[in-house]
Amino acid sequence: MVDSEPNDRFTRFVDELDVPVFLVGFLTALVAVVGFALAPDTAANAMNSVNSALWQNVGWMYILAMFFVVVFALFLVFGPWGTIKLGKPDEEPQYSFLSYFAMLYSAGIAAGIVFWGPAEAIFHYDTVPPFVGAESQTAGAAVGAVQYTFFHWGISAWAAYAIMSLPIAFYAYRHDAPMRISTVLAPFLGVDNLDNGWAKLVDILAVFATLGGIATTLGFVGSQFLTGIEYTTGISVGDAGTVLTITGLTIAFTLSVTLGIKKGIRRVSQFNLGLFMIVMLLAFVLGPSVYIMTVTTEAIGQYINQFVAMSFFMNTGNGASWVGSWTIFYWAWWFSWTPFVGLFIARISRGRTIRQVVSTGVLASTAITIPWFGIMGGAAIKLQSTNAANILGAISEYGVAGSGYPLFEALPLGGVLNLLFLLLITTFFVTSADSSTLALGMLTTGGKLNPSTINRVIWGALVGSLASLLMVVGGVDALQASAIITGGPFAIITILAVLAISYPCREICPLFFDTDQSDTVSRSSATLDASEEMSAEGTDDD
């Protein structure tokens, strides 16, 4: 029996594959890895050329798509469709709110928060965004710098994830559709026709986007981890050390994934969220707390007051170069994450209402993210402006990845804080990578909720290899280009997701509030649920 176990595992791996999606995705990743390994300069130049063409010519698409998604997400939170349940009426959520929020937040915000948290505000403080229009390293620049971190990492960052998850969860749990990205086409093709060419194309694009998005994130945080080693020990690991380190971290997240959601991802996510809160609170208490509160309060007001204008700002007079390097990069990065974060949120959202998913995924997550960027950004600016820490000097020497270490070092218990920061980098790396590897497994097996270990290990190895090679070849620029290129198609598919969830919602709930709305909703929901229960009779949803 023992000898047959490897054969059984391989048989399961082969039997569950969605062969076209797996092969195209696998070969795409393999070609990218081989290309960057054998011809790094040529591959990097080609990628940068495509990247420049995209943000210069279709940057407006990313801008408009994201604003539309944000408006729709807010409508779902406050509108009548929020009461619709992703599952049958009597189903309860699979996970407690704490576990649910920890998994959702750790997967969605990802390791990028620890990379850009200490870095972005101080960068904007020195090189002021054109929209802010203040002098470098002034009080106006400080508020505008923190304001822009809220804009890039606030509700806009979260809205696309939540919207992508909703039609997948709705059709999977109410109509037994497969748990895959192509399920967003269900209202257009029909649940029984999700194996045609259009559906396969969407799933292949999802694999492509996920590879680019996660490689970008893991590359960022991997470089930050290695910079931390160099900053604290003076030892530079070099290119070979970079590959070995990322490989080691890849093994860590692969082990987490193979334990499954309940044993692996949930436990690591809960630990990760707890550590995140500890580091944030210590930085606030030990840092320049009064200044942090002052600049954060003003920046929140400016963020709310100027949100619409910032959302449409294209920096036209300067050829959109600043917006291309920052806002369009971020929007593309978030869109490239929508396949696997949306799929992961759908996977853990059974039994929750649309309002619960969007409120948790957009509002609650933003409410945790803004304090982090306010504390990190405010502390960095104050320490730099008073010469208590030379954070800009560290960025000049080590790159953006070096911003966090002099910040924490300048605070009381700096050595302890830096160790906790390194640990936080590692756990965010793991939670981001394990959720994406699970999603890649689901995408390439036709929507299996628990893909085989072999499948997950393959994707883990490919993602880790691609991230390390991008780091070695092109650094931050290559990682940003990867996100913009792979995120483009999913800006369009996210809009399709809006239409996909709108189609059933308008049948269940009235579009506008009126005095008889609650009765109408109840009658419509009861009719639909009764018909669904009849059609699903005798099936096992678990």
mmCIF file of all heavy atoms in Angstrom, residues 45-93:
data_model
loop_
_atom_site.group_PDB
_atom_site.id
_atom_site.type_symbol
_atom_site.label_atom_id
_atom_site.label_comp_id
_atom_site.label_asym_id
_atom_site.label_seq_id
_atom_site.Cartn_x
_atom_site.Cartn_y
_atom_site.Cartn_z
ATOM 1 N N ASN A 45 14.162 43.990 -21.709
ATOM 2 C CA ASN A 45 13.882 45.079 -22.651
ATOM 3 C C ASN A 45 12.535 44.905 -23.333
ATOM 4 O O ASN A 45 11.788 45.876 -23.530
ATOM 5 C CB ASN A 45 14.987 45.155 -23.709
ATOM 6 C CG ASN A 45 16.304 45.662 -23.136
ATOM 7 O OD1 ASN A 45 16.310 46.367 -22.134
ATOM 8 N ND2 ASN A 45 17.410 45.301 -23.771
ATOM 9 N N ALA A 46 12.217 43.662 -23.710
ATOM 10 C CA ALA A 46 10.925 43.393 -24.348
ATOM 11 C C ALA A 46 9.781 43.701 -23.394
ATOM 12 O O ALA A 46 8.775 44.319 -23.772
ATOM 13 C CB ALA A 46 10.869 41.936 -24.809
ATOM 14 N N MET A 47 9.935 43.290 -22.147
ATOM 15 C CA MET A 47 8.882 43.528 -21.165
ATOM 16 C C MET A 47 8.707 45.014 -20.886
ATOM 17 O O MET A 47 7.578 45.519 -20.796
ATOM 18 C CB MET A 47 9.207 42.787 -19.867
ATOM 19 C CG MET A 47 8.092 42.839 -18.839
ATOM 20 S SD MET A 47 8.388 41.731 -17.448
ATOM 21 C CE MET A 47 9.822 42.523 -16.721
ATOM 22 N N ASN A 48 9.797 45.739 -20.800
ATOM 23 C CA ASN A 48 9.709 47.176 -20.553
ATOM 24 C C ASN A 48 9.073 47.927 -21.722
ATOM 25 O O ASN A 48 8.344 48.900 -21.528
ATOM 26 C CB ASN A 48 11.106 47.739 -20.271
ATOM 27 C CG ASN A 48 11.633 47.317 -18.912
ATOM 28 O OD1 ASN A 48 10.854 47.086 -17.995
ATOM 29 N ND2 ASN A 48 12.946 47.218 -18.788
ATOM 30 N N SER A 49 9.323 47.459 -22.939
ATOM 31 C CA SER A 49 8.718 48.099 -24.119
ATOM 32 C C SER A 49 7.202 47.922 -24.115
ATOM 33 O O SER A 49 6.450 48.862 -24.379
ATOM 34 C CB SER A 49 9.312 47.499 -25.396
ATOM 35 O OG SER A 49 10.696 47.775 -25.488
ATOM 36 N N VAL A 50 6.761 46.712 -23.819
ATOM 37 C CA VAL A 50 5.324 46.442 -23.745
ATOM 38 C C VAL A 50 4.687 47.250 -22.625
ATOM 39 O O VAL A 50 3.607 47.835 -22.776
ATOM 40 C CB VAL A 50 5.062 44.929 -23.540
ATOM 41 C CG1 VAL A 50 3.573 44.670 -23.325
ATOM 42 C CG2 VAL A 50 5.566 44.141 -24.734
ATOM 43 N N ASN A 51 5.365 47.307 -21.493
ATOM 44 C CA ASN A 51 4.864 48.048 -20.348
ATOM 45 C C ASN A 51 4.673 49.525 -20.683
ATOM 46 O O ASN A 51 3.618 50.110 -20.405
ATOM 47 C CB ASN A 51 5.846 47.889 -19.187
ATOM 48 C CG ASN A 51 5.575 48.848 -18.054
ATOM 49 O OD1 ASN A 51 4.480 48.892 -17.523
ATOM 50 N ND2 ASN A 51 6.574 49.640 -17.686
ATOM 51 N N SER A 52 5.671 50.144 -21.309
ATOM 52 C CA SER A 52 5.585 51.562 -21.662
ATOM 53 C C SER A 52 4.447 51.832 -22.635
ATOM 54 O O SER A 52 3.699 52.808 -22.495
ATOM 55 C CB SER A 52 6.908 52.034 -22.272
ATOM 56 O OG SER A 52 7.962 51.916 -21.341
ATOM 57 N N ALA A 53 4.287 50.943 -23.602
ATOM 58 C CA ALA A 53 3.209 51.112 -24.581
ATOM 59 C C ALA A 53 1.845 51.041 -23.913
ATOM 60 O O ALA A 53 0.923 51.793 -24.270
ATOM 61 C CB ALA A 53 3.326 50.036 -25.659
ATOM 62 N N LEU A 54 1.708 50.178 -22.931
ATOM 63 C CA LEU A 54 0.417 50.013 -22.257
ATOM 64 C C LEU A 54 0.033 51.250 -21.461
ATOM 65 O O LEU A 54 -1.069 51.789 -21.639
ATOM 66 C CB LEU A 54 0.455 48.780 -21.339
ATOM 67 C CG LEU A 54 0.309 47.421 -22.020
ATOM 68 C CD1 LEU A 54 0.497 46.297 -21.009
ATOM 69 C CD2 LEU A 54 -1.058 47.297 -22.696
ATOM 70 N N TRP A 55 0.927 51.729 -20.579
ATOM 71 C CA TRP A 55 0.493 52.850 -19.743
ATOM 72 C C TRP A 55 0.402 54.147 -20.521
ATOM 73 O O TRP A 55 -0.360 55.050 -20.166
ATOM 74 C CB TRP A 55 1.348 52.991 -18.487
ATOM 75 C CG TRP A 55 2.782 53.402 -18.610
ATOM 76 C CD1 TRP A 55 3.867 52.615 -18.484
ATOM 77 C CD2 TRP A 55 3.284 54.730 -18.818
ATOM 78 N NE1 TRP A 55 5.025 53.352 -18.617
ATOM 79 C CE2 TRP A 55 4.693 54.661 -18.819
ATOM 80 C CE3 TRP A 55 2.698 55.981 -19.015
ATOM 81 C CZ2 TRP A 55 5.512 55.763 -19.003
ATOM 82 C CZ3 TRP A 55 3.512 57.087 -19.202
ATOM 83 C CH2 TRP A 55 4.901 56.980 -19.196
ATOM 84 N N GLN A 56 1.148 54.272 -21.620
ATOM 85 C CA GLN A 56 1.062 55.480 -22.421
ATOM 86 C C GLN A 56 -0.201 55.527 -23.276
ATOM 87 O O GLN A 56 -0.778 56.592 -23.495
ATOM 88 C CB GLN A 56 2.293 55.597 -23.324
ATOM 89 C CG GLN A 56 3.570 55.931 -22.578
ATOM 90 C CD GLN A 56 4.796 55.904 -23.468
ATOM 91 O OE1 GLN A 56 4.703 55.652 -24.672
ATOM 92 N NE2 GLN A 56 5.963 56.146 -22.896
ATOM 93 N N ASN A 57 -0.647 54.366 -23.769
ATOM 94 C CA ASN A 57 -1.760 54.335 -24.724
ATOM 95 C C ASN A 57 -3.103 53.927 -24.125
ATOM 96 O O ASN A 57 -4.146 54.369 -24.617
ATOM 97 C CB ASN A 57 -1.411 53.383 -25.877
ATOM 98 C CG ASN A 57 -0.221 53.862 -26.685
ATOM 99 O OD1 ASN A 57 -0.173 55.006 -27.110
ATOM 100 N ND2 ASN A 57 0.766 52.995 -26.890
ATOM 101 N N VAL A 58 -3.086 53.079 -23.115
ATOM 102 C CA VAL A 58 -4.370 52.638 -22.535
ATOM 103 C C VAL A 58 -4.401 52.845 -21.026
ATOM 104 O O VAL A 58 -5.175 52.207 -20.324
ATOM 105 C CB VAL A 58 -4.670 51.152 -22.873
ATOM 106 C CG1 VAL A 58 -4.880 50.976 -24.362
ATOM 107 C CG2 VAL A 58 -3.556 50.237 -22.375
ATOM 108 N N GLY A 59 -3.571 53.759 -20.536
ATOM 109 C CA GLY A 59 -3.602 54.050 -19.102
ATOM 110 C C GLY A 59 -4.975 54.511 -18.647
ATOM 111 O O GLY A 59 -5.409 54.219 -17.528
ATOM 112 N N TRP A 60 -5.660 55.233 -19.509
ATOM 113 C CA TRP A 60 -7.008 55.711 -19.184
ATOM 114 C C TRP A 60 -7.954 54.561 -18.867
ATOM 115 O O TRP A 60 -8.884 54.708 -18.054
ATOM 116 C CB TRP A 60 -7.568 56.529 -20.355
ATOM 117 C CG TRP A 60 -7.555 55.777 -21.660
ATOM 118 C CD1 TRP A 60 -6.568 55.787 -22.596
ATOM 119 C CD2 TRP A 60 -8.555 54.870 -22.155
ATOM 120 N NE1 TRP A 60 -6.882 54.966 -23.645
ATOM 121 C CE2 TRP A 60 -8.100 54.374 -23.398
ATOM 122 C CE3 TRP A 60 -9.776 54.434 -21.669
ATOM 123 C CZ2 TRP A 60 -8.837 53.473 -24.157
ATOM 124 C CZ3 TRP A 60 -10.524 53.530 -22.424
ATOM 125 C CH2 TRP A 60 -10.043 53.066 -23.656
ATOM 126 N N MET A 61 -7.735 53.391 -19.493
ATOM 127 C CA MET A 61 -8.611 52.244 -19.251
ATOM 128 C C MET A 61 -8.501 51.776 -17.805
ATOM 129 O O MET A 61 -9.510 51.491 -17.140
ATOM 130 C CB MET A 61 -8.257 51.101 -20.192
ATOM 131 C CG MET A 61 -9.106 49.849 -19.977
ATOM 132 S SD MET A 61 -8.436 48.379 -20.794
ATOM 133 C CE MET A 61 -6.952 48.070 -19.824
ATOM 134 N N TYR A 62 -7.272 51.693 -17.301
ATOM 135 C CA TYR A 62 -7.080 51.286 -15.910
ATOM 136 C C TYR A 62 -7.757 52.281 -14.963
ATOM 137 O O TYR A 62 -8.395 51.882 -13.978
ATOM 138 C CB TYR A 62 -5.582 51.231 -15.580
ATOM 139 C CG TYR A 62 -4.786 50.201 -16.338
ATOM 140 C CD1 TYR A 62 -4.129 50.522 -17.517
ATOM 141 C CD2 TYR A 62 -4.659 48.897 -15.857
ATOM 142 C CE1 TYR A 62 -3.370 49.585 -18.206
ATOM 143 C CE2 TYR A 62 -3.903 47.954 -16.532
ATOM 144 C CZ TYR A 62 -3.266 48.298 -17.716
ATOM 145 O OH TYR A 62 -2.519 47.366 -18.398
ATOM 146 N N ILE A 63 -7.612 53.567 -15.268
ATOM 147 C CA ILE A 63 -8.167 54.613 -14.411
ATOM 148 C C ILE A 63 -9.691 54.536 -14.366
ATOM 149 O O ILE A 63 -10.310 54.529 -13.290
ATOM 150 C CB ILE A 63 -7.724 56.003 -14.919
ATOM 151 C CG1 ILE A 63 -6.201 56.163 -14.831
ATOM 152 C CG2 ILE A 63 -8.437 57.103 -14.150
ATOM 153 C CD1 ILE A 63 -5.635 56.167 -13.442
ATOM 154 N N LEU A 64 -10.327 54.466 -15.540
ATOM 155 C CA LEU A 64 -11.787 54.439 -15.600
ATOM 156 C C LEU A 64 -12.354 53.145 -15.019
ATOM 157 O O LEU A 64 -13.367 53.155 -14.297
ATOM 158 C CB LEU A 64 -12.254 54.609 -17.054
ATOM 159 C CG LEU A 64 -11.980 55.966 -17.707
ATOM 160 C CD1 LEU A 64 -12.437 55.948 -19.163
ATOM 161 C CD2 LEU A 64 -12.672 57.087 -16.938
ATOM 162 N N ALA A 65 -11.720 52.031 -15.327
ATOM 163 C CA ALA A 65 -12.212 50.743 -14.833
ATOM 164 C C ALA A 65 -12.193 50.699 -13.313
ATOM 165 O O ALA A 65 -13.160 50.246 -12.679
ATOM 166 C CB ALA A 65 -11.374 49.596 -15.410
ATOM 167 N N MET A 66 -11.115 51.172 -12.698
ATOM 168 C CA MET A 66 -11.026 51.119 -11.241
ATOM 169 C C MET A 66 -12.064 52.011 -10.575
ATOM 170 O O MET A 66 -12.694 51.617 -9.579
ATOM 171 C CB MET A 66 -9.625 51.509 -10.777
ATOM 172 C CG MET A 66 -9.416 51.336 -9.282
ATOM 173 S SD MET A 66 -9.644 49.618 -8.729
ATOM 174 C CE MET A 66 -8.051 48.918 -9.141
ATOM 175 N N PHE A 67 -12.279 53.201 -11.111
ATOM 176 C CA PHE A 67 -13.269 54.091 -10.507
ATOM 177 C C PHE A 67 -14.662 53.477 -10.603
ATOM 178 O O PHE A 67 -15.449 53.522 -9.645
ATOM 179 C CB PHE A 67 -13.246 55.462 -11.186
ATOM 180 C CG PHE A 67 -14.183 56.454 -10.550
ATOM 181 C CD1 PHE A 67 -13.838 57.066 -9.360
ATOM 182 C CD2 PHE A 67 -15.403 56.752 -11.130
ATOM 183 C CE1 PHE A 67 -14.709 57.973 -8.749
ATOM 184 C CE2 PHE A 67 -16.270 57.660 -10.529
ATOM 185 C CZ PHE A 67 -15.922 58.266 -9.339
ATOM 186 N N PHE A 68 -14.989 52.891 -11.745
ATOM 187 C CA PHE A 68 -16.288 52.252 -11.920
ATOM 188 C C PHE A 68 -16.481 51.118 -10.916
ATOM 189 O O PHE A 68 -17.557 50.972 -10.314
ATOM 190 C CB PHE A 68 -16.407 51.717 -13.348
ATOM 191 C CG PHE A 68 -17.683 50.973 -13.622
ATOM 192 C CD1 PHE A 68 -18.890 51.650 -13.714
ATOM 193 C CD2 PHE A 68 -17.682 49.596 -13.786
ATOM 194 C CE1 PHE A 68 -20.077 50.968 -13.965
ATOM 195 C CE2 PHE A 68 -18.857 48.913 -14.036
ATOM 196 C CZ PHE A 68 -20.060 49.602 -14.122
ATOM 197 N N VAL A 69 -15.446 50.323 -10.696
ATOM 198 C CA VAL A 69 -15.525 49.201 -9.760
ATOM 199 C C VAL A 69 -15.732 49.705 -8.336
ATOM 200 O O VAL A 69 -16.510 49.125 -7.563
ATOM 201 C CB VAL A 69 -14.249 48.332 -9.867
ATOM 202 C CG1 VAL A 69 -14.161 47.347 -8.709
ATOM 203 C CG2 VAL A 69 -14.232 47.585 -11.188
ATOM 204 N N VAL A 70 -15.052 50.780 -7.966
ATOM 205 C CA VAL A 70 -15.207 51.349 -6.621
ATOM 206 C C VAL A 70 -16.640 51.819 -6.397
ATOM 207 O O VAL A 70 -17.252 51.544 -5.349
ATOM 208 C CB VAL A 70 -14.220 52.512 -6.403
ATOM 209 C CG1 VAL A 70 -14.559 53.277 -5.129
ATOM 210 C CG2 VAL A 70 -12.791 51.990 -6.326
ATOM 211 N N VAL A 71 -17.199 52.533 -7.360
ATOM 212 C CA VAL A 71 -18.570 53.036 -7.238
ATOM 213 C C VAL A 71 -19.541 51.869 -7.090
ATOM 214 O O VAL A 71 -20.456 51.897 -6.246
ATOM 215 C CB VAL A 71 -18.941 53.904 -8.462
ATOM 216 C CG1 VAL A 71 -20.426 54.245 -8.456
ATOM 217 C CG2 VAL A 71 -18.107 55.186 -8.469
ATOM 218 N N PHE A 72 -19.349 50.826 -7.868
ATOM 219 C CA PHE A 72 -20.242 49.669 -7.789
ATOM 220 C C PHE A 72 -20.108 48.961 -6.442
ATOM 221 O O PHE A 72 -21.105 48.516 -5.867
ATOM 222 C CB PHE A 72 -19.943 48.697 -8.926
ATOM 223 C CG PHE A 72 -20.905 47.535 -8.994
ATOM 224 C CD1 PHE A 72 -22.219 47.723 -9.381
ATOM 225 C CD2 PHE A 72 -20.485 46.249 -8.654
ATOM 226 C CE1 PHE A 72 -23.108 46.665 -9.437
ATOM 227 C CE2 PHE A 72 -21.360 45.179 -8.709
ATOM 228 C CZ PHE A 72 -22.678 45.385 -9.106
ATOM 229 N N ALA A 73 -18.900 48.858 -5.925
ATOM 230 C CA ALA A 73 -18.692 48.212 -4.624
ATOM 231 C C ALA A 73 -19.428 48.976 -3.526
ATOM 232 O O ALA A 73 -20.062 48.368 -2.642
ATOM 233 C CB ALA A 73 -17.200 48.123 -4.313
ATOM 234 N N LEU A 74 -19.346 50.294 -3.554
ATOM 235 C CA LEU A 74 -20.057 51.092 -2.555
ATOM 236 C C LEU A 74 -21.564 50.943 -2.694
ATOM 237 O O LEU A 74 -22.294 50.915 -1.687
ATOM 238 C CB LEU A 74 -19.653 52.567 -2.688
ATOM 239 C CG LEU A 74 -18.195 52.876 -2.337
ATOM 240 C CD1 LEU A 74 -17.884 54.346 -2.613
ATOM 241 C CD2 LEU A 74 -17.898 52.531 -0.882
ATOM 242 N N PHE A 75 -22.045 50.823 -3.924
ATOM 243 C CA PHE A 75 -23.467 50.573 -4.133
ATOM 244 C C PHE A 75 -23.901 49.252 -3.495
ATOM 245 O O PHE A 75 -24.962 49.154 -2.876
ATOM 246 C CB PHE A 75 -23.781 50.558 -5.632
ATOM 247 C CG PHE A 75 -25.135 49.982 -5.956
ATOM 248 C CD1 PHE A 75 -26.289 50.696 -5.685
ATOM 249 C CD2 PHE A 75 -25.246 48.711 -6.511
ATOM 250 C CE1 PHE A 75 -27.542 50.153 -5.970
ATOM 251 C CE2 PHE A 75 -26.482 48.172 -6.795
ATOM 252 C CZ PHE A 75 -27.640 48.892 -6.525
ATOM 253 N N LEU A 76 -23.072 48.227 -3.611
ATOM 254 C CA LEU A 76 -23.410 46.929 -3.031
ATOM 255 C C LEU A 76 -23.445 46.991 -1.508
ATOM 256 O O LEU A 76 -24.248 46.308 -0.871
ATOM 257 C CB LEU A 76 -22.406 45.867 -3.484
ATOM 258 C CG LEU A 76 -22.439 45.489 -4.959
ATOM 259 C CD1 LEU A 76 -21.369 44.442 -5.271
ATOM 260 C CD2 LEU A 76 -23.808 44.970 -5.370
ATOM 261 N N VAL A 77 -22.574 47.795 -0.919
ATOM 262 C CA VAL A 77 -22.552 47.916 0.538
ATOM 263 C C VAL A 77 -23.821 48.582 1.044
ATOM 264 O O VAL A 77 -24.435 48.125 2.022
ATOM 265 C CB VAL A 77 -21.318 48.715 1.005
ATOM 266 C CG1 VAL A 77 -21.411 49.021 2.503
ATOM 267 C CG2 VAL A 77 -20.048 47.943 0.713
ATOM 268 N N PHE A 78 -24.254 49.637 0.384
ATOM 269 C CA PHE A 78 -25.364 50.437 0.888
ATOM 270 C C PHE A 78 -26.685 50.188 0.159
ATOM 271 O O PHE A 78 -27.728 50.669 0.599
ATOM 272 C CB PHE A 78 -25.001 51.921 0.804
ATOM 273 C CG PHE A 78 -23.787 52.284 1.607
ATOM 274 C CD1 PHE A 78 -22.574 52.549 0.985
ATOM 275 C CD2 PHE A 78 -23.843 52.336 2.992
ATOM 276 C CE1 PHE A 78 -21.445 52.883 1.722
ATOM 277 C CE2 PHE A 78 -22.730 52.664 3.744
ATOM 278 C CZ PHE A 78 -21.521 52.926 3.112
ATOM 279 N N GLY A 79 -26.646 49.464 -0.950
ATOM 280 C CA GLY A 79 -27.852 49.242 -1.739
ATOM 281 C C GLY A 79 -28.592 47.968 -1.367
ATOM 282 O O GLY A 79 -28.172 47.197 -0.489
ATOM 283 N N PRO A 80 -29.706 47.702 -2.037
ATOM 284 C CA PRO A 80 -30.571 46.561 -1.690
ATOM 285 C C PRO A 80 -29.984 45.200 -2.031
ATOM 286 O O PRO A 80 -30.410 44.188 -1.470
ATOM 287 C CB PRO A 80 -31.840 46.829 -2.511
ATOM 288 C CG PRO A 80 -31.368 47.651 -3.672
ATOM 289 C CD PRO A 80 -30.264 48.506 -3.143
ATOM 290 N N TRP A 81 -29.022 45.126 -2.924
ATOM 291 C CA TRP A 81 -28.486 43.829 -3.319
ATOM 292 C C TRP A 81 -27.586 43.209 -2.249
ATOM 293 O O TRP A 81 -27.236 42.031 -2.337
ATOM 294 C CB TRP A 81 -27.695 43.957 -4.624
ATOM 295 C CG TRP A 81 -28.547 44.319 -5.804
ATOM 296 C CD1 TRP A 81 -29.909 44.386 -5.848
ATOM 297 C CD2 TRP A 81 -28.091 44.681 -7.113
ATOM 298 N NE1 TRP A 81 -30.347 44.773 -7.099
ATOM 299 C CE2 TRP A 81 -29.247 44.954 -7.899
ATOM 300 C CE3 TRP A 81 -26.842 44.812 -7.696
ATOM 301 C CZ2 TRP A 81 -29.162 45.337 -9.236
ATOM 302 C CZ3 TRP A 81 -26.747 45.195 -9.036
ATOM 303 C CH2 TRP A 81 -27.901 45.455 -9.781
ATOM 304 N N GLY A 82 -27.216 43.997 -1.267
ATOM 305 C CA GLY A 82 -26.326 43.498 -0.231
ATOM 306 C C GLY A 82 -26.894 42.376 0.600
ATOM 307 O O GLY A 82 -26.163 41.624 1.254
ATOM 308 N N THR A 83 -28.226 42.214 0.610
ATOM 309 C CA THR A 83 -28.856 41.183 1.443
ATOM 310 C C THR A 83 -28.791 39.788 0.824
ATOM 311 O O THR A 83 -29.098 38.802 1.493
ATOM 312 C CB THR A 83 -30.335 41.534 1.677
ATOM 313 O OG1 THR A 83 -31.001 41.651 0.403
ATOM 314 C CG2 THR A 83 -30.456 42.853 2.425
ATOM 315 N N ILE A 84 -28.417 39.690 -0.425
ATOM 316 C CA ILE A 84 -28.402 38.398 -1.119
ATOM 317 C C ILE A 84 -27.289 37.527 -0.561
ATOM 318 O O ILE A 84 -26.145 37.962 -0.402
ATOM 319 C CB ILE A 84 -28.217 38.602 -2.633
ATOM 320 C CG1 ILE A 84 -29.386 39.419 -3.188
ATOM 321 C CG2 ILE A 84 -28.089 37.278 -3.364
ATOM 322 C CD1 ILE A 84 -29.205 39.860 -4.625
ATOM 323 N N LYS A 85 -27.632 36.272 -0.278
ATOM 324 C CA LYS A 85 -26.660 35.356 0.325
ATOM 325 C C LYS A 85 -25.948 34.552 -0.748
ATOM 326 O O LYS A 85 -26.540 34.117 -1.735
ATOM 327 C CB LYS A 85 -27.356 34.412 1.315
ATOM 328 C CG LYS A 85 -26.404 33.444 2.006
ATOM 329 C CD LYS A 85 -27.054 32.711 3.173
ATOM 330 C CE LYS A 85 -27.143 33.588 4.397
ATOM 331 N NZ LYS A 85 -27.500 32.802 5.612
ATOM 332 N N LEU A 86 -24.657 34.331 -0.528
ATOM 333 C CA LEU A 86 -23.846 33.495 -1.415
ATOM 334 C C LEU A 86 -23.929 32.058 -0.921
ATOM 335 O O LEU A 86 -23.030 31.539 -0.273
ATOM 336 C CB LEU A 86 -22.396 33.997 -1.430
ATOM 337 C CG LEU A 86 -22.228 35.464 -1.834
ATOM 338 C CD1 LEU A 86 -20.772 35.893 -1.713
ATOM 339 C CD2 LEU A 86 -22.733 35.705 -3.251
ATOM 340 N N GLY A 87 -25.026 31.437 -1.219
ATOM 341 C CA GLY A 87 -25.332 30.103 -0.728
ATOM 342 C C GLY A 87 -26.815 30.003 -0.481
ATOM 343 O O GLY A 87 -27.576 30.936 -0.765
ATOM 344 N N LYS A 88 -27.247 28.890 0.053
ATOM 345 C CA LYS A 88 -28.661 28.703 0.331
ATOM 346 C C LYS A 88 -29.080 29.493 1.575
ATOM 347 O O LYS A 88 -28.245 29.807 2.421
ATOM 348 C CB LYS A 88 -28.959 27.224 0.477
ATOM 349 C CG LYS A 88 -28.757 26.479 -0.852
ATOM 350 C CD LYS A 88 -29.096 25.026 -0.728
ATOM 351 C CE LYS A 88 -29.088 24.372 -2.113
ATOM 352 N NZ LYS A 88 -27.827 24.607 -2.860
ATOM 353 N N PRO A 89 -30.378 29.832 1.683
ATOM 354 C CA PRO A 89 -30.828 30.739 2.740
ATOM 355 C C PRO A 89 -30.461 30.302 4.152
ATOM 356 O O PRO A 89 -30.219 31.136 5.020
ATOM 357 C CB PRO A 89 -32.354 30.760 2.556
ATOM 358 C CG PRO A 89 -32.561 30.413 1.129
ATOM 359 C CD PRO A 89 -31.476 29.459 0.761
ATOM 360 N N ASP A 90 -30.434 28.977 4.401
ATOM 361 C CA ASP A 90 -30.188 28.507 5.760
ATOM 362 C C ASP A 90 -28.721 28.201 6.039
ATOM 363 O O ASP A 90 -28.376 27.723 7.119
ATOM 364 C CB ASP A 90 -31.023 27.255 6.046
ATOM 365 C CG ASP A 90 -30.744 26.127 5.058
ATOM 366 O OD1 ASP A 90 -30.095 26.391 4.037
ATOM 367 O OD2 ASP A 90 -31.175 24.985 5.314
ATOM 368 N N GLU A 91 -27.850 28.475 5.080
ATOM 369 C CA GLU A 91 -26.431 28.178 5.274
ATOM 370 C C GLU A 91 -25.768 29.223 6.157
ATOM 371 O O GLU A 91 -26.015 30.416 6.023
ATOM 372 C CB GLU A 91 -25.705 28.118 3.930
ATOM 373 C CG GLU A 91 -25.878 26.803 3.204
ATOM 374 C CD GLU A 91 -24.956 26.713 1.996
ATOM 375 O OE1 GLU A 91 -25.161 27.490 1.048
ATOM 376 O OE2 GLU A 91 -24.039 25.875 2.014
ATOM 377 N N GLU A 92 -24.912 28.735 7.048
ATOM 378 C CA GLU A 92 -24.120 29.612 7.889
ATOM 379 C C GLU A 92 -22.708 29.725 7.313
ATOM 380 O O GLU A 92 -22.244 28.824 6.615
ATOM 381 C CB GLU A 92 -24.056 29.067 9.319
ATOM 382 C CG GLU A 92 -25.394 29.046 10.037
ATOM 383 C CD GLU A 92 -25.952 30.446 10.234
ATOM 384 O OE1 GLU A 92 -25.158 31.382 10.487
ATOM 385 O OE2 GLU A 92 -27.180 30.614 10.097
ATOM 386 N N PRO A 93 -22.004 30.814 7.600
ATOM 387 C CA PRO A 93 -20.623 30.954 7.116
ATOM 388 C C PRO A 93 -19.735 29.804 7.590
ATOM 389 O O PRO A 93 -19.902 29.289 8.700
ATOM 390 C CB PRO A 93 -20.176 32.284 7.723
ATOM 391 C CG PRO A 93 -21.441 33.050 7.932
ATOM 392 C CD PRO A 93 -22.472 32.029 8.296
#
